[in-house]
Amino acid sequence: MRDASHAVGPQSGRVAVLCGILFLSGTGALIFETLWLRLSGLTFGNSIWAAALILSSFMAGLALGNALAASSRIRRWRPLHLYALLEVLVALFGCTIVFGLPVLGELLRPVWQVLWNYQPALLGLRFAVSFLILLMPTTAMGLTLPVLIEDPLLRQTNFGRAIGFLYGSNTLGAVAGAVLGEGYLIAAFGLRGTTLAAGLASCIAAAVALFVAKFEASASALTWQRTFPLRLDVRYRLPWRLLFVSFGTGCILLALEVIWFRFLRLYVASSSTAFAVMLAVVLGGIGLGSVLASLVHRHSARLDQFLPILLLLAAVLVLLSYWFFPSALVPASVAVFDLSWWRIMLLSTALMFPVALVSGILFPSIAASVQATVDDRMNSTGITTLFNTTGAAFGPLLASFVLLPGIGYQRSLIACAAGYALMSIVTAFAVHRPGASLKTWVLPRAPKRDVASTVLLGLWIVLILLLAIFPYRRAETHFAHASRPYETEDQGQLLARVVKRIEGTSDTWQLLRRDLMGQPYYYRLLCNAFSMSATNPPGQRYMRLFAYLPLAFRPESEDVLLICYGCGVTADALLHGPNVRRMDVVDISKEVFRLSDFYSGINHTNPLHDPRATTFIQDGRFFLQTSPRQYDIISGEPPPPKNAGSVNLYTREFFSLMKSRLKEGGIATFWLPLDQLKLNEAKAILRAFHDVFSNASVWASADENWIMMGINGPGRKVKEEEIRRLWSDPATGADLKRIGVEVPQQLGALFLMDGDEIDRMTRDVAPLTDNYPKRLSDAPWDVNANLEFAATYMEPASVTERFLRSLLISHIWPEALSGSRGTMKSLFAVRETRFLSETVGSNKLAELDLFLRGTRLRLPVLEALGSDELRLAIAQRVARETESPPLEIVPDLIAGALARRDLNEAIRLLEGQKDRGAFGVREAFLLTYLYCLNANVDKAEALAAANSALINKDSSADWLWKKLETDFGFHPPY
């Protein structure tokens, strides 16, 4: 007993050292993997098919390494020496890939363009190139664990215990890599600096392995050899049933990971930090489960008899973790980007950790069962990981292309639970004597099996019961959680409803429709839990300006490109261009195009039905790399920058691609959502844009949806008649007036700044680049700071000065439309007033008085009264169909009458409201004001006196009485 105890101590120490080596290896490998996938997406595209090809290339390399381990023996080399060489290869080729992929992308661009019209060949070439690039490091990664477990240091260690500790340590190292890389390294050192850190981790693992090999006296003293370290030697029978289970568990777990991540995105923002936390939870469960399995193996030579139980337990846990998902942790009122990382971790742990833990126990247990048949440790580890990795390669493809779009995420979870149950049956036959029936295992006579068989039988009963009472309509609750903030107002009143839902290959889409008097008012497009686009009036305004700004400054435009379709608003506006002959529309999601047929309403047309429109389901960045076509206009409205993957569409390198596809004098417009960024992040994007476009400028309506505009070259001065033609044309003129750009001068009054001001504003800010994507963080933005910053650039006097002094404006804007300083200042003042009204609030009657008496504009009057052109069009249609207009639409009709400056009609409608008993303080103020404006001061005074009991003395009342007294001689009621 004393000798045994002395042996256990050194043996445990050896295992601990090797576990530390694999921990470092896992850290470096996970960082490399995330960097390779990120940069491969930039080179080969980020569409769902491109991502699948890149992932398949990665897994194929791992599988090749596993296959070499499964079919070879190490000769004349100490396994630790070979392991150290493999880690050095991973570091060397891993760093080379990260540094070389951007260069390779530039070199391959002419090849992509030649093959553009041969999409199958292009897809095949992308797979071949990505496979060859990743082949060497991924093959080395696939060999590391099988080679290390063959070392003499572990020969006296129980195989199940050794594989559990080693695999668990490697996976826990991957957890560290996921958290460290995303949480610190990329932000601090950029992608290239992070890859050097990953290479350092691999090199340290190699150095420690060499140190142990040199100073471990108990191991056989093999030295470096010049011969190739592996030779093919397959002398064992394959345990097919166990290997099938290894394949199945890898496939199901990776499919579950895709399904879980899709489900969680109904609650959690699609950000890189959220993905890192979710991945860390899954890997942490696997790693801890593997370590737990090793501890069990320490007391039991075989766990194979428990494999059916573990698999059935996994099936039960898949259902229970979904059933009892703690959705209450995320109130519907909490915005997805405001969700803290610890809440994301709690949600992820509740949903994924239990099954991941069981999966971690399963792998070493299966490997130990395979080793009992194969005998050789490296071969058994290699063949088990080969089938597990191959299954893991198929799992995401199965989930993304078959299960999720075919049966939805909830049924997919149930299908995965059924898969685990099937594996349990297969394993029950695999781990017992050939020819044995399932009944002889479930109901055995041996006392040691009584407990196991009873547990298995109990789990079957639980699984069947769960499937019988499962809440199959639970999915509706989770979908509703994502859509509820956009369906109801603050008081809980229902405003909109879901008209179409699609669970696609990469996202869950919900299309919401808000009605007014039974007529479609606007639509909102949700991607997972985030509003991607909407056709409401504010959205219509800035999205149409993405088209009308470049169409005004380049009216001869024939070829236009739209990156990201959204609700189709910008696409519709681009087709209004008088000379547009072709419009290419690129979007990464085919579901967005499918939903285009579900929009309807007044003045709505589907732009994709226009023969000039051509759609491409492709990543916008890869489209710019591969398409040989040049464009007059390129407009981009990608998802918000903080969404995972979207940052690559806001970097300096992306803007450079946009410029390369523009004709000389061509114009690019691009979205800058100031209200969804921290100030320095917005400045980093502006800096990147201006670095590429020297003739850059920024434009905006009365909101924080800024439009960056860049010209390829000096541009040209547009003639006054060319710009006025947009307003004289019936279609474009009506469209522009509908969004509030009612006269050509208002187009100029959208100006915020030119390149000189961008330079001044961003002089201390580094640009957003591919190498430093974390200059765009996942931290929430400061709403008040953003409002204050935006208001500074809306201030009429200063923006008028910038406009009149701008060299760019003097070069491209007709002098005849600049008018006097006072004219432009007044138009800028209208914008500022609307901006402040919508953001910080204002006295609506004071606004109305300014717009009604100080301008001839329609839309500001409508908006001051809470209406808009869409609401008014619906109200007028309903009014024409009824004898007495419903009270719900009367305020819009009043607003419409005042927009026409028809005071008598507005007064008639208000008096009608009064007679019908729908008359409050707001209506009393408005009617009093209109009486005075219409020279009926006596009526105004009588009305004010009659309603004095309703009127509280406040700033609004004081302003009104003083205004009416000053301008019309009105006598207030007190």
Side-chain angles (χ1 to χ4, degrees):
M1 290 293 292
R2 185 178 299 165
D3 293 340
S5 63
H6 280 297
V8 170
Q11 185 176 312
S12 299
R14 295 169 191 147
V15 173
V17 171
L18 296 183
C19 286
I21 291 173
L22 277 178
F23 183 93
L24 284 171
S25 175
T27 301
L30 197 283
I31 294 175
F32 273 133
E33 179 185 348
T34 55
L35 293 176
W36 294 340
L37 295 179
R38 185 193 287 262
L39 288 170
S40 295
L42 299 182
T43 303
F44 304 114
N46 274 309
S47 69
I48 186 68
W49 282 104
L53 287 177
I54 295 166
L55 180 62
S56 298
S57 301
F58 179 83
M59 297 303 247
L62 291 179
L64 180 58
N66 300 153
L68 287 173
S71 58
S72 305
R73 300 289 178 99
I74 299 177
R75 61 176 183 178
R76 300 182 182 180
W77 277 58
R78 172 81 184 269
L80 273 174
H81 291 160
L82 177 56
Y83 171 83
L85 175 62
L86 293 172
E87 287 291 355
V88 171
L89 289 175
V90 169
L92 177 62
F93 283 97
C95 292
T96 302
I97 289 172
V98 172
F99 281 89
L101 268 176
V103 178
L104 181 65
E106 290 295 320
L107 294 175
L108 287 175
R109 193 191 301 182
V111 180
W112 301 148
Q113 293 175 359
V114 169
L115 293 176
W116 176 249
N117 293 322
Y118 307 93
Q119 287 295 316
L122 181 60
L123 203 62
L125 181 61
R126 281 192 280 174
F127 173 77
V129 174
S130 63
F131 174 75
L132 290 174
I133 289 172
L134 297 175
L135 177 63
M136 185 62 74
T138 53
T139 300
M141 283 181 178
L143 275 166
T144 50
L145 177 62
V147 165
L148 192 62
I149 205 165
E150 183 71 6
D151 197 81
L153 279 175
L154 299 173
R155 283 177 184 165
Q156 303 303 316
T157 307
N158 173 279
F159 177 79
R161 180 172 177 247
I163 189 69
F165 270 126
L166 295 178
Y167 181 70
S169 300
N170 190 250
T171 308
L172 291 174
V175 174
V179 174
L180 190 62
E182 194 62 42
Y184 174 71
L185 291 176
I186 295 177
F189 306 111
L191 300 186
R192 298 189 185 98
T194 301
T195 198
L196 294 177
L200 180 62
S202 295
C203 289
I204 292 174
V208 174
L210 291 176
F211 180 85
V212 172
K214 182 176 181 179
F215 293 100
E216 177 56 51
S218 63
S220 58
L222 292 175
T223 59
W224 291 95
Q225 302 289 329
R226 294 185 178 180
T227 57
F228 189 74
L230 299 175
R231 62 183 173 87
L232 293 178
D233 188 0
V234 183
R235 299 180 183 177
Y236 54 85
R237 290 185 59 189
L238 293 174
W240 286 109
R241 287 180 178 174
L242 282 171
L243 295 177
F244 174 72
V245 173
S246 182
F247 175 91
T249 52
C251 179
I252 293 173
L253 182 64
L254 266 292
L256 274 173
E257 188 175 317
V258 173
I259 297 164
W260 283 331
F261 284 19
R262 173 71 66 83
F263 167 67
L264 283 170
R265 287 158 69 192
L266 295 175
Y267 291 84
V268 173
S270 299
S271 67
S272 55
T273 298
F275 280 120
V277 171
M278 292 188 282
L279 179 61
V281 168
V282 174
L283 293 175
I286 296 171
L288 292 176
S290 188
V291 172
L292 181 60
S294 70
L295 296 175
V296 176
H297 272 286
R298 185 173 185 175
H299 302 285
S300 175
R302 296 186 65 190
L303 276 182
D304 55 3
Q305 60 182 318
F306 297 111
L307 286 178
I309 293 175
L310 290 170
L311 287 161
L312 206 55
L313 178 62
V316 171
L317 290 174
V318 168
L319 299 179
L320 287 178
S321 60
Y322 171 70
W323 195 337
F324 294 102
F325 177 75
S327 56
L329 283 174
V330 186
S333 58
V334 176
V336 289
F337 278 103
D338 292 337
L339 208 61
S340 57
W341 68 266
W342 63 266
R343 282 196 183 183
I344 299 173
M345 187 180 70
L346 287 177
L347 293 173
S348 304
T349 301
L351 180 67
M352 302 184 292
F353 186 81
V355 180
L357 184 72
V358 174
S359 298
I361 299 173
L362 278 168
F363 178 79
S365 303
I366 295 171
S369 299
V370 171
Q371 198 264 340
T373 302
V374 175
D375 190 45
D376 183 87
R377 292 187 167 205
M378 186 175 81
N379 291 163
S380 59
T381 305
I383 195 67
T384 305
T385 52
L386 170 62
F387 276 79
N388 192 259
T389 301
T390 305
F394 279 99
L397 303 180
L398 178 66
S400 297
F401 294 103
V402 179
L403 294 178
L404 285 169
I407 60 177
Y409 83 84
Q410 182 172 279
R411 290 191 181 95
S412 298
L413 288 172
I414 296 171
C416 288
Y420 275 128
L422 175 63
M423 294 296 105
S424 176
I425 296 173
V426 173
T427 311
F429 287 106
V431 298
H432 293 88
R433 67 183 185 277
S437 66
L438 182 62
K439 180 179 179 181
T440 62
W441 193 89
V442 175
L443 301 172
R445 295 182 180 180
K448 290 185 178 181
R449 290 188 181 172
D450 284 346
V451 175
S453 60
T454 301
V455 171
L456 186 68
L457 185 60
L459 286 172
W460 272 110
I461 293 171
V462 170
L463 180 62
I464 294 171
L465 182 63
L466 284 174
L467 290 173
I469 64 173
F470 189 81
Y472 289 95
R473 296 190 62 82
R474 178 63 59 86
E476 296 298 323
T477 302
H478 298 301
F479 288 133
H481 181 278
S483 61
R484 192 176 301 120
Y486 306 100
E487 289 179 306
T488 57
E489 61 179 8
D490 294 338
Q491 289 75 30
Q493 181 182 351
L494 186 66
L495 294 178
R497 58 188 174 87
V498 177
V499 294
K500 183 64 178 178
R501 180 183 298 126
I502 297 177
E503 292 189 68
T505 53
S506 58
D507 296 287
T508 300
W509 299 90
Q510 299 189 82
L511 184 64
L512 277 64
R513 171 175 144 177
R514 181 179 178 183
D515 286 350
L516 183 65
M517 295 300 295
Q519 301 287 328
Y521 178 33
Y522 68 80
Y523 290 83
R524 184 175 297 278
L525 182 62
L526 300 187
C527 179
N528 303 310
F530 196 82
S531 174
M532 282 292 180
S533 187
T535 63
N536 59 346
Q540 290 262 2
R541 182 179 303 136
Y542 82 83
M543 285 187 277
R544 290 185 180 278
L545 288 174
F546 279 110
Y548 285 125
L549 274 169
L551 286 172
F553 292 115
R554 190 175 172 85
E556 68 272 22
S557 297
E558 296 182 348
D559 299 300
V560 300
L561 169 64
L562 174 62
I563 299 174
C564 299
Y565 181 73
C567 293
V569 175
T570 304
D572 180 66
L574 282 169
L575 290 173
H576 282 81
N579 297 301
V580 171
R581 296 183 179 180
R582 179 186 175 95
M583 178 181 70
D584 290 342
V585 185
V586 181
D587 203 288
I588 201 168
S589 300
K590 64 180 180 181
E591 293 82 10
V592 171
F593 293 136
R594 284 176 56 192
L595 287 168
S596 65
D597 286 324
F598 291 89
Y599 299 89
S600 62
I602 294 175
N603 301 316
H604 174 79
T605 56
N606 187 343
L608 299 185
H609 292 169
D610 192 294
R612 295 172 291 173
T614 306
T615 60
F616 297 88
I617 302 170
Q618 185 57 269
D619 162 35
R621 181 162 178 153
F622 189 71
F623 181 89
L624 291 174
Q625 288 177 312
T626 55
S627 172
R629 185 176 293 275
Q630 298 287 114
Y631 296 94
D632 295 287
I633 295 172
I634 299 178
S635 183
E637 300 170 64
K642 290 181 182 284
N643 276 35
S646 296
V647 65
N648 298 324
L649 302 180
Y650 289 86
T651 62
R652 183 169 60 192
E653 290 81 358
F654 175 78
F655 295 139
S656 180
L657 277 174
M658 285 183 69
K659 185 178 180 181
S660 71
R661 303 261 51 88
L662 283 171
K663 298 176 183 178
E664 180 64 26
I667 299 176
T669 54
F670 211 78
W671 185 39
L672 181 65
L674 185 66
D675 57 345
Q676 298 180 40
L677 295 164
K678 299 173 74 172
L679 286 182
N680 273 353
E681 295 169 349
K683 291 177 182 180
I685 295 173
L686 269 172
R687 179 72 265 167
F689 189 81
H690 187 36
D691 280 354
V692 174
F693 291 99
S694 57
N695 277 330
S697 54
V698 183
W699 308 70
S701 183
D703 53 37
E704 294 175 86
N705 291 294
W706 288 10
I707 301 170
M708 299 183 295
M709 187 175 81
I711 304 173
N712 183 22
R716 70 173 180 88
K717 184 180 288 288
V718 186
K719 297 177 181 178
E720 179 186 1
E721 56 269 24
E722 289 180 306
I723 287 187
R724 288 193 180 278
R725 197 173 298 138
L726 287 173
W727 278 263
S728 61
D729 179 87
T732 57
D735 205 26
L736 283 162
K737 291 173 183 176
R738 195 158 41 241
I739 63 173
V741 187
E742 302 176 39
V743 294
Q745 290 84 347
Q746 275 188 285
L747 191 70
L750 299 171
F751 177 81
L752 287 176
M753 68 187 79
D754 61 8
D756 291 339
E757 179 61 20
I758 296 173
D759 282 332
R760 189 198 65 79
M761 179 210 303
T762 63
R763 61 176 176 266
D764 297 323
V765 179
L768 183 65
T769 63
D770 287 348
N771 188 47
Y772 284 95
K774 282 297 183 176
R775 285 175 181 160
L776 217 60
S777 70
D778 292 329
W781 46 88
D782 187 332
V783 174
N784 292 330
N786 287 0
L787 286 176
E788 184 178 345
F789 178 78
T792 300
Y793 284 94
M794 298 277 184
E795 200 280 319
S798 59
V799 71
T800 301
E801 197 67 26
R802 287 196 302 275
F803 179 84
L804 294 176
R805 290 188 177 183
S806 170
L807 294 178
L808 175 65
I809 293 299
S810 65
H811 185 71
I812 64 174
W813 184 254
E815 293 180 8
L817 290 179
S818 296
S820 66
R821 181 182 298 269
T823 300
M824 291 306 301
K825 186 176 179 180
S826 66
L827 291 173
F828 283 125
V830 169
R831 179 179 65 176
E832 182 196 41
T833 303
R834 292 303 308 137
F835 173 75
L836 295 176
S837 175
E838 293 300 321
T839 54
V840 299
S842 68
N843 184 332
K844 298 298 182 182
L845 272 177
E847 272 190 68
L848 177 64
D849 184 65
L850 171 67
F851 301 142
L852 194 61
R853 301 169 67 191
T855 76
R856 298 303 299 168
L857 302 175
R858 282 177 50 86
L859 190 61
V861 173
L862 293 175
E863 291 179 335
L865 292 171
S867 188
D868 53 67
E869 293 288 3
L870 288 175
R871 290 183 64 95
L872 179 59
I874 294 171
Q876 289 173 337
R877 173 183 288 185
V878 173
R880 285 194 297 268
E881 297 171 354
T882 57
E883 291 185 8
S884 178
L887 287 172
E888 182 181 354
I889 66 169
V890 170
D892 295 291
L893 297 176
I894 294 169
L898 290 178
R900 300 190 305 271
R901 276 53 179 185
D902 189 345
L903 298 182
N904 291 326
E905 175 65 9
I907 290 171
R908 186 187 70 80
L909 289 167
L910 277 165
E911 290 175 340
Q913 262 192 305
K914 183 172 179 292
D915 294 341
R916 296 165 70 179
F919 200 73
V921 175
R922 179 176 179 272
E923 289 75 19
F925 278 162
L926 180 58
L927 186 53
T928 302
Y929 168 76
L930 292 180
Y931 277 150
C932 289
L933 205 60
N934 207 34
N936 289 318
V937 178
D938 292 342
K939 279 189 175 183
E941 291 175 345
L943 178 66
N947 289 276
S948 59
L950 297 175
I951 300 171
N952 296 319
K953 289 196 66 175
D954 57 22
S955 58
S956 297
D958 290 342
W959 176 88
L960 180 62
W961 303 147
K962 185 175 181 181
K963 181 70 174 176
L964 297 182
E965 184 178 15
T966 301
D967 290 1
F968 304 105
F970 173 83
H971 295 94
Y974 50 80

